[in-house]
Amino acid sequence: MKLVILGICVFFYAVLLDYLKYNYGLNLTGKVLILSVLTGITYKIIEKIYENRAATPKDEE
């Protein structure tokens, strides 16, 4: 599930960067660098969320 969320986020990032490329002249190297940084940050955020969910004890009734 983590990879699906990451894939969706990367898709939106790529669309946003294509917009910047065509309207503001962002070159391919800049696009790849920005995309890799955003993907890494998103992955770390998703990992933190899943760690917090796993560490939270579930209520037993």
Side-chain angles (χ1 to χ4, degrees):
M1 189 65 182
K2 290 186 266 187
L3 295 178
V4 172
I5 295 169
L6 184 64
I8 292 169
C9 290
V10 168
F11 174 74
F12 285 121
Y13 295 154
V15 170
L16 175 67
L17 290 173
D18 274 342
Y19 172 78
L20 292 175
K21 176 184 170 189
Y22 291 120
N23 291 328
Y24 297 104
L26 183 67
N27 61 4
L28 181 63
T29 305
K31 180 181 172 183
V32 170
L33 288 173
I34 293 170
L35 185 61
S36 64
V37 168
L38 288 174
T39 302
I41 292 170
T42 304
Y43 184 76
K44 288 295 182 181
I45 291 170
I46 292 170
E47 283 291 318
K48 290 285 184 184
I49 291 170
Y50 272 85
E51 285 176 10
N52 289 342
R53 286 179 61 191
T56 307
K58 295 184 179 181
D59 292 334
E60 298 286 332
E61 291 185 22

